[in-house]
Amino acid sequence: DQQVKQNSPSLSVQEGRISILNCDYTNSMFDYFLWYKKYPAEGPTFLISISSIKDKNEDGRFTVFLNKSAKHLSLHIVPSQPGDSAVYFCAARHPQGGSEKLVFGKGTKLTVNP
Amino acid sequence: EAQVTQNPRYLITVTGKKLTVTCSQNMNHEYMSWYRQDPGLGLRQIYYSMNVEVTDKGDVPEGYKVSRKEKRNFPLILESPSPNQTSLYFCASSLYAGGSAGELFFGEGSRLTVL
């Protein structure tokens, strides 16, 4: 079963507008949520995270919102820039007996058009 | 420069020919992990290691082996590669298991094709 879901494989927005990437999860034990960005021919890089005890975390143009009751988080990019075009992975962490690991979504490809 | 280095970056091989993908990190990280990325499936964990001599299976460990004899190195071994192991592989590390919040540092990836 897929515990972290990114239901939109792709998203296209205009430069300067807001990009909203969504992620749903099923496991209420997850305690941290993260977003990674991946450019072609490169490894993913960490972008922003949020603890399950918070509902918002902001870093410059990037804001992550967490709605625990809906088991939903979203990444907002404002304003979007062409350099933001990449695949974005949502990830969730749950502690399991001291061994912690991340569960990744399938990714959403964002294209920001000039 | 802090980095995770994988080799080779690209490899084409044939079914059954043993191969090793090396991974090395220079950040003194305790935690290391291997992922594979396939179209429509995202990133799936193969194996991970909490520290030297401590390894465990991830979600898709079949057909793979790992070892962690030194803190900096975490090689991925395919004893008898098959075409379904054609994929893009990423090694990742973090200071502690899962990182401070799960923040992983990834290598640039190794694209493996098994004919």
Side-chain angles (χ1 to χ4, degrees):
Chain A
D1 67 330
Q2 193 181 347
Q3 297 187 70
V4 177
K5 300 178 184 179
Q6 294 177 257
N7 293 317
S8 298
S10 62
L11 174 68
S12 183
V13 300
Q14 285 298 122
E15 180 178 5
R17 306 295 288 268
I18 184 172
S19 295
I20 300 177
L21 296 96
N22 294 305
C23 180
D24 296 296
Y25 62 95
T26 58
N27 191 335
S28 59
M29 296 298 291
F30 289 143
D31 64 350
Y32 260 100
F33 302 89
L34 305 93
W35 286 93
Y36 284 81
K37 180 166 75 171
K38 183 186 178 304
Y39 292 120
E42 295 183 12
T45 56
F46 169 74
L47 185 59
I48 191 169
S49 65
I50 187 168
S51 165
S52 61
I53 63 174
K54 297 190 175 183
D55 55 18
K56 177 182 175 181
N57 187 28
E58 191 172 353
D59 183 2
R61 296 185 298 113
F62 302 90
T63 303
V64 58
F65 295 92
L66 176 62
N67 182 334
K68 285 188 68 177
S69 61
K71 294 192 177 70
H72 177 83
L73 66 155
S74 60
L75 174 68
H76 293 212
I77 306 174
V78 184
S80 301
Q81 300 173 353
D84 296 328
S85 297
V87 176
Y88 289 79
F89 290 101
C90 170
R93 187 190 85 163
H94 62 84
Q96 47 180 101
S99 299
E100 298 167 342
K101 64 178 218 177
L102 295 182
V103 180
F104 284 87
K106 294 182 179 181
T108 296
K109 183 178 182 180
L110 173 66
T111 302
V112 180
N113 301 301
Chain B
E1 179 188 354
Q3 58 187 3
V4 178
T5 303
Q6 298 178 223
N7 280 296
R9 295 288 313 280
Y10 302 92
L11 179 64
I12 299 174
T13 190
V14 295
T15 299
K17 186 176 181 181
K18 179 180 178 180
L19 68 93
T20 299
V21 185
T22 64
C23 175
S24 180
Q25 49 92 4
N26 63 359
M27 296 170 279
N28 201 36
H29 284 174
E30 288 186 354
Y31 182 87
M32 298 185 74
S33 184
W34 276 102
Y35 292 86
R36 59 179 288 175
Q37 183 189 6
D38 301 290
L41 297 177
L43 289 165
R44 295 181 294 167
Q45 190 180 51
I46 303 170
Y47 269 94
Y48 63 96
S49 170
M50 302 288 288
N51 212 324
V52 176
E53 302 292 1
V54 181
T55 63
D56 207 346
K57 296 178 180 178
D59 299 316
V60 288
E62 295 78 19
Y64 304 95
K65 286 176 57 177
V66 293
S67 68
R68 186 94 183 272
K69 294 184 171 60
E70 306 166 284
K71 198 171 189 178
R72 63 183 294 130
N73 296 323
F74 190 44
L76 179 70
I77 303 158
L78 286 73
E79 293 272 3
S80 183
S82 61
N84 65 12
Q85 292 178 296
T86 293
S87 187
L88 179 58
Y89 292 88
F90 290 102
C91 180
S93 71
S94 69
L95 185 58
Y96 302 112
S100 60
E103 178 182 339
L104 293 172
F105 293 84
F106 283 86
E108 292 186 310
S110 297
R111 183 166 292 282
L112 171 64
T113 302
V114 184
L115 301 175

